[in-house]
Amino acid sequence: MTEDPMSEPASRTSARRTTIYDLAALAGTSASAVSAVLNGTWKKRRISARLAEKILHLAAEQGYSVNLQASVLRREKSNIIGMIMPKYDNRYFGAIAEEFEIRARARGLFPVITCTRRDPDLEFEAAREMVSYQAEHIVATGATDPDRIADFCRAAGVASINLDLPGAAAPSVVSDNFGGSRDLARLMLNRRRGPLLFIGGRPTDHNTAERIRGFRAAHAERGIDLPESAILACGYAAEKAERALAARGGPLPAGLFVNSTITLEGVVRWLRRTAPDSTTEIGAFDWDPFAALLSDVVAMVEQDVTRMLDEVFRLIDAAPDPALRIEVPTILRARP
Amino acid sequence: MTEDPMSEPASRTSARRTTIYDLAALAGTSASAVSAVLNGTWKKRRISARLAEKILHLAAEQGYSVNLQASVLRREKSNIIGMIMPKYDNRYFGAIAEEFEIRARARGLFPVITCTRRDPDLEFEAAREMVSYQAEHIVATGATDPDRIADFCRAAGVASINLDLPGAAAPSVVSDNFGGSRDLARLMLNRRRGPLLFIGGRPTDHNTAERIRGFRAAHAERGIDLPESAILACGYAAEKAERALAARGGPLPAGLFVNSTITLEGVVRWLRRTAPDSTTEIGAFDWDPFAALLSDVVAMVEQDVTRMLDEVFRLIDAAPDPALRIEVPTILRARP
DNA sequence: CATGTGTGCTCAATCGATATAGCATGATTG
DNA sequence: CAATCATGCTATATCGATTGAGCACACATG
């Protein structure tokens, strides 16, 4: 096919990549024609079907693929949608990542997810980098400092949305943490005598605050007085929970309300080690298939990832008020 | 500061982004000088510290951020490293994603991970898209058709590496699936009378084949004859495992060797439902913190993600022979 | 005072793709 | 037969950042 034996695609490993100019030379036509054919605008640009076919053929033969860097630069449209993610180590965030990618791709967007391990500076740097790549939307999931990201994005003209943890500077989609927590605490108080012990999370973070509020509400309904010591917001990490329980002392409560699956890892490890015969029951926020099968876990609160992402993409289409906050109901999964 | 009141960054929401030309005009200098200052080459390019400071100040004030699309196009160096990931729904892949990002960033690379749900066409499309974004390396994790991706990458002059599942067309980093599997089966056969039942995975996939080989080897060592019916490679999905077990009939074996945590979900669900009092013991490939706490799970094989990624990045530096295959030992985690 | 050296910048081409404007043809119409 | 129109293309400017070449000036040296 090709005259020049040096230009065979198979042998060209580290050589220059094929461009529309190479294809134009091979087809004996112009770069504009090649571009029009390859990006699908050729009908509109009145390129003959004959030439289009020839170019398409050559492109396939040469293993051509667009330089999106050049394309995006020229079009001033990247179709990139970024997501900032705290961790990949639990099913909740894993499901968010997966569903996010599916939906983004279904809309012809290129999803870019990055994991920032709850580090505010890394979160911000990641957002900055996505903006530099001309991302058109940024979804900040569980961001420690969502408003810093949202303000930066707004200044750069990039739409941003908060997910999981709300912010004031961009629209937010969050679970009904209050309701979910209250329902879980109610269920546990129906089974065992309170007060329960709340463990895990950061007292400064909105979700933890809301869940504590729901936890308190369920106790208040039953007229149970809740001492300050019943709330152990020791952070999310498993080791922090183990240390907090060890430091706590005193008898175990009838029920443990655990604020996340990561915290639950530490709690269960500690229980198995220090009180293997305890009859304490456990309820936890977020759902995990194996945790749900543990004998002492009586219920888990699943966040409705599908509905949350439906809302996220609705907001992406709508460009709504930054103060908007959408609360999605949770699903209580009790042991049968 | 600014003469023109219309160019205040706060009010410029959807307006054009600030470019080096805007900054040059504001600073009364040239775009080249601005570029040199902002990308750190200004000392080499003999720009005065005074001007550098002025430009830096202006850039911060205007909320400037580079257009990496333009920068990459000109530099012909993207610093993008892509990873293709089958799923985000288990700890193994989650840990790979997280460690990959940490290492990539430590090297000044921009990590882009995408999840392709074990769909060969999606895997390929994702690779193609990353190549279009001028990614410099692509790590194909657990790819269904790694050679198709590797061939494509090679033709485009992009280095690729296989992780978790090996291929012939690019260097591969995999676990010692044979050894891990044999050790797990040995441990189970030390506790209970064989033969065990192997369940989960795809018979065509390299890892499953190797694990079956290890499983057989452990039985052979003890002189246990293994019937064909002792291998149920029914796919990874949890539901497939449940269906396969239901269809199997006959008494339960003394031990179940489960080929992945996803399969394990189905196996445990089915056991709890149909044989809640069974004394069958379970061993599984991959580690999960909650699964490890289930009463009937006696051991799990953890893949050494840290060492695997060490090897991946060593290969990225070394550009080795495509036929190279590195096997990383696994870690057997038995119930204490 | 011619020559050399160092400093501090600017100019202009370039990366690859896209899109606007326009130029040849040939066919159609009044 | 001139004017109009449709068809099928090409030429060229452009997106924003980078970079090799080079210019202007100051100062030193023989």
Side-chain angles (χ1 to χ4, degrees):
Chain A
M1 308 290 150
T2 313
E3 278 82 7
D4 179 0
M6 296 306 288
S7 69
E8 276 171 38
S11 66
R12 188 181 34 81
T13 43
S14 66
R16 255 185 68 260
R17 286 257 252 290
T18 308
T19 68
I20 52 169
Y21 298 93
D22 302 328
L23 294 180
L26 286 170
T29 181
S30 71
S32 344
V34 174
S35 172
V37 168
L38 294 176
N39 67 31
T41 57
W42 59 278
K43 281 235 153 188
K44 198 171 64 193
R45 313 267 325 264
R46 300 187 313 212
I47 306 292
S48 66
R50 222 176 69 79
L51 180 56
E53 203 165 326
K54 183 176 181 184
I55 289 172
L56 254 12
H57 193 86
L58 268 170
E61 186 185 289
Q62 299 291 315
Y64 171 85
S65 64
V66 230
N67 183 326
L68 280 174
Q69 240 78 45
S71 172
V72 165
L73 175 61
R74 182 62 237 259
R75 281 185 298 126
E76 312 200 318
K77 184 122 190 25
S78 72
N79 287 333
I80 293 175
I81 180 165
M83 174 174 263
I84 288 162
M85 182 58 78
K87 297 283 285 173
Y88 287 123
D89 66 357
N90 60 267
R91 296 292 281 248
Y92 173 51
F93 289 135
I96 288 178
E98 245 181 84
E99 287 221 32
F100 173 74
E101 288 200 11
I102 291 171
R103 279 149 207 265
R105 259 197 268 275
R107 289 169 178 246
L109 301 174
F110 184 68
V112 173
I113 304 185
T114 200
C115 161
T116 50
R117 287 165 288 131
R118 302 192 192 281
D119 172 344
D121 292 330
L122 191 49
E123 281 167 9
F124 186 74
E125 278 317 306
R128 176 193 284 287
E129 209 153 13
M130 287 176 175
V131 166
S132 280
Y133 277 111
Q134 315 299 108
E136 285 163 14
H137 303 274
I138 290 186
V139 179
T141 309
T144 314
D145 193 350
D147 288 349
R148 186 166 156 220
I149 295 171
D151 287 339
F152 173 77
C153 287
R154 187 153 33 84
V158 175
S160 82
I161 289 177
N162 298 310
L163 178 60
D164 183 61
L165 277 175
S172 307
V173 175
V174 299
S175 282
D176 174 12
N177 289 290
F178 170 78
S181 172
R182 185 202 48 207
D183 294 348
L184 175 59
R186 271 184 189 157
L187 180 145
M188 295 178 72
L189 288 172
N190 280 341
R191 300 173 52 102
R192 292 294 177 88
R193 200 193 170 78
L196 310 168
L197 176 66
F198 183 103
I199 182 164
R202 299 175 173 179
T204 52
D205 106 24
H206 169 273
N207 290 357
T208 299
E210 281 294 287
R211 292 174 195 172
I212 290 174
R213 202 163 66 81
F215 181 77
R216 286 191 191 285
H219 281 80
E221 282 171 0
R222 306 197 144 238
I224 302 174
D225 194 48
L226 207 56
E228 262 320 303
S229 63
I231 312 278
L232 242 56
C234 54
Y236 286 106
E239 306 75 46
K240 290 185 180 166
E242 291 188 72
R243 264 180 272 135
L245 284 172
R248 176 175 166 274
L252 275 174
L256 282 167
F257 182 116
V258 186
N259 194 18
S260 81
T261 50
I262 285 299
T263 309
L264 183 61
E265 275 183 53
V267 169
V268 176
R269 228 150 54 195
W270 185 83
L271 275 178
R272 295 286 186 276
R273 201 175 56 235
T274 65
D277 305 318
S278 111
T279 57
T280 295
E281 288 190 346
I282 297 176
F285 229 91
D286 288 339
W287 179 80
D288 177 279
F290 294 117
L293 292 169
L294 295 173
S295 55
D296 42 1
V297 172
V298 296
M300 306 194 86
V301 176
E302 185 181 8
Q303 305 194 53
D304 194 340
V305 170
T306 298
R307 279 187 60 181
M308 292 172 88
L309 283 164
D310 280 343
E311 296 295 343
V312 166
F313 280 89
R314 263 188 354 104
L315 294 184
I316 281 171
D317 294 333
D321 180 23
L324 184 64
R325 180 178 303 182
I326 294 174
E327 289 209 346
V328 175
T330 57
I331 301 156
L332 185 59
R333 290 227 205 179
R335 174 177 294 283
Chain B
M1 310 285 152
T2 314
E3 278 82 7
D4 179 3
M6 297 307 288
S7 69
E8 278 171 36
S11 65
R12 189 182 33 79
T13 42
S14 65
R16 255 186 67 258
R17 287 257 251 290
T18 308
T19 70
I20 52 169
Y21 297 94
D22 301 329
L23 294 179
L26 286 170
T29 182
S30 71
S32 347
V34 174
S35 171
V37 168
L38 294 176
N39 67 30
T41 58
W42 59 278
K43 281 232 154 191
K44 197 172 66 193
R45 294 191 54 104
R46 299 187 314 213
I47 306 292
S48 66
R50 221 177 69 78
L51 180 56
E53 204 165 327
K54 184 176 179 186
I55 289 172
L56 253 13
H57 193 86
L58 268 171
E61 188 184 287
Q62 299 291 315
Y64 172 84
S65 66
V66 232
N67 184 327
L68 280 175
Q69 236 75 9
S71 172
V72 165
L73 174 61
R74 180 62 236 259
R75 282 185 297 125
E76 311 200 322
K77 184 123 190 21
S78 72
N79 288 332
I80 293 176
I81 180 167
M83 174 173 263
I84 287 162
M85 183 57 79
K87 296 282 285 172
Y88 288 124
D89 65 357
N90 61 268
R91 295 293 279 246
Y92 174 52
F93 289 135
I96 289 178
E98 243 181 88
E99 287 221 32
F100 173 75
E101 288 200 10
I102 291 172
R103 280 150 207 265
R105 259 196 266 274
R107 289 168 177 247
L109 300 174
F110 183 69
V112 173
I113 305 184
T114 199
C115 162
T116 50
R117 287 164 287 133
R118 301 191 194 281
D119 172 343
D121 293 329
L122 191 49
E123 281 167 10
F124 187 75
E125 278 318 305
R128 176 193 283 286
E129 207 152 16
M130 287 175 175
V131 165
S132 279
Y133 277 112
Q134 314 300 106
E136 283 164 15
H137 305 273
I138 290 185
V139 180
T141 308
T144 314
D145 192 351
D147 288 349
R148 185 165 158 222
I149 295 171
D151 288 338
F152 174 76
C153 287
R154 186 154 34 83
V158 174
S160 82
I161 291 177
N162 299 311
L163 178 60
D164 182 62
L165 277 175
S172 306
V173 176
V174 299
S175 282
D176 174 11
N177 289 290
F178 171 78
S181 172
R182 185 201 50 208
D183 294 350
L184 175 58
R186 272 184 189 156
L187 181 144
M188 294 177 74
L189 288 171
N190 280 342
R191 300 173 51 103
R192 293 291 178 87
R193 197 194 174 78
L196 310 168
L197 175 66
F198 182 103
I199 182 163
R202 300 175 173 181
T204 53
D205 108 26
H206 169 273
N207 290 357
T208 298
E210 280 295 287
R211 292 173 194 172
I212 290 174
R213 201 163 65 81
F215 181 77
R216 286 191 191 284
H219 282 80
E221 282 171 1
R222 306 201 142 232
I224 302 174
D225 193 49
L226 207 55
E228 264 317 304
S229 63
I231 311 278
L232 243 56
C234 54
Y236 287 106
E239 305 76 44
K240 291 185 181 168
E242 290 188 73
R243 262 179 274 137
L245 283 172
R248 177 177 165 274
L252 275 173
L256 283 167
F257 182 117
V258 186
N259 194 17
S260 80
T261 49
I262 286 298
T263 309
L264 183 60
E265 275 183 52
V267 170
V268 177
R269 229 150 53 191
W270 184 83
L271 275 178
R272 296 286 184 276
R273 201 177 51 235
T274 66
D277 305 318
S278 112
T279 58
T280 296
E281 288 189 347
I282 297 175
F285 230 91
D286 290 340
W287 180 79
D288 177 279
F290 293 116
L293 294 168
L294 295 174
S295 56
D296 41 0
V297 171
V298 297
M300 306 195 86
V301 176
E302 185 181 8
Q303 305 196 54
D304 194 340
V305 170
T306 299
R307 278 187 62 183
M308 292 172 86
L309 283 164
D310 280 344
E311 295 296 344
V312 166
F313 280 89
R314 262 186 358 101
L315 294 184
I316 281 171
D317 295 333
D321 181 23
L324 183 64
R325 180 178 301 181
I326 294 174
E327 287 209 348
V328 175
T330 57
I331 302 157
L332 186 60
R333 291 226 202 180
R335 173 175 295 282

